[in-house]
Amino acid sequence: MPPKRNKEKPHLNIVVIGHVDSGKSTTTGHLIFKCGGVDDRTIEKFKKEAEEMGKGSFCYAWVLDKLKSERERGITIDIALMQFETPKYDVTIIDAPGHRDFIKNMITGTSQADAAVLIVAAGTGEFEAGISSNGQTREHLLLAFTLGVREVIIAINKMDTTSPPYSEERYKEIKKEVGAYLKKVGFQVPRVPFVPISGFKGDNIDTLTSNMSWWKGAKVQTGEKERERVIE
């Protein structure tokens, strides 16, 4: 059961979007675990069940992917909602499907969102597939903007799979290309944080990792006077 809503904190709906297999459910499930939304026993149970199906890396995704068909296929089909709290907000997180066959469900989830997290896979070939003209990276950003979402975080995921692992150059390459598309769509790029992460291993999920010591936080502009600040 999700925790009861804390009425003393402002509520925030965040949708997680991105290309299929970019690691949305794994990242979101791991974040919920780190924030106390699920306990150790549940994660251990998911790990055991996932390993029995030959899908050991899907344990965090199963926090949200509850349908039998989702677990067997390894993709999100329907939107999933879970609540957790941060020091400042009472959050409902919406995990949206990335597969183009289920785009209607993605639109339903995004239409409820105050903000979005776009998950981009950094692996060789994975980013290129998502950012291509037929990829869901582009489509999801455009749909989010069309549906009124103006606050977005870009999480560059699977940094542990780059060559070499945790490559700053790969991060910069992806940031440049995604930033150009964000500007084309209409987002205010100086206000958009880019965060390099590993959703499965937990790098930069809730605390800064030593594996990417070159990243010191996201520099963004905030407020009417466009002040620049670093957010960790």
Side-chain angles (χ1 to χ4, degrees), residues 31-231:
L31 177 63
I32 290 169
F33 170 63
K34 292 277 192 179
C35 292
V38 292
D39 57 25
D40 291 332
R41 182 181 297 180
T42 301
I43 292 297
E44 287 303 316
K45 176 177 177 286
F46 288 160
K47 282 182 180 179
K48 183 179 179 181
E49 293 174 351
E51 286 170 359
E52 288 173 354
M53 292 179 62
K55 299 178 182 290
S57 63
F58 284 70
C59 58
Y60 294 112
W62 285 11
V63 173
L64 295 138
D65 290 343
K66 301 181 185 299
L67 298 176
K68 182 181 179 182
S69 55
E70 291 180 317
R71 293 183 174 186
E72 289 177 345
R73 296 176 64 180
I75 61 172
T76 302
I77 294 173
D78 201 358
I79 59 170
L81 289 79
M82 282 197 73
Q83 285 180 246
F84 65 91
E85 288 187 38
T86 71
K88 291 184 178 181
Y89 294 100
D90 174 41
V91 179
T92 295
I93 199 153
I94 307 164
D95 184 36
H99 198 287
R100 65 186 314 147
D101 288 354
F102 311 111
I103 193 67
K104 289 183 179 179
N105 294 339
M106 177 269 172
I107 291 171
T108 299
T110 305
S111 67
Q112 303 171 33
D114 302 304
V117 177
L118 175 77
I119 306 291
V120 180
T124 303
E126 290 186 280
F127 168 69
E128 286 75 14
I131 201 70
S132 69
S133 58
N134 295 321
Q136 271 60 65
T137 300
R138 289 174 178 266
E139 185 176 27
H140 283 198
L141 277 175
L142 181 58
L143 284 169
F145 190 85
T146 302
L147 291 166
V149 175
R150 296 294 181 268
E151 303 292 332
V152 63
I153 295 171
I154 310 300
I156 301 177
N157 191 26
K158 303 187 181 182
M159 287 297 297
D160 56 303
T161 70
T162 61
S163 183
Y166 303 106
S167 168
E168 182 180 8
E169 289 307 310
R170 180 63 164 167
Y171 165 77
K172 288 180 177 178
E173 175 190 355
I174 293 171
K175 181 181 178 181
K176 181 179 180 180
E177 191 159 350
V178 174
Y181 187 71
L182 284 166
K183 184 177 181 181
K184 182 178 179 180
V185 170
F187 287 100
Q188 297 184 50
V189 180
R191 292 176 175 265
V192 176
F194 287 77
V195 186
I197 68 168
S198 171
F200 179 64
K201 295 198 172 183
D203 295 291
N204 285 345
I205 291 294
D206 63 335
T207 55
L208 287 173
T209 177
S210 59
N211 288 324
M212 290 178 278
S213 56
W214 44 264
W215 190 77
K216 306 298 182 183
K219 291 184 179 181
V220 297
Q221 291 180 352
T222 60
E224 294 181 1
K225 295 184 179 180
E226 301 294 340
R227 295 172 181 170
E228 187 174 273
R229 68 188 183 98
V230 176
I231 53 176

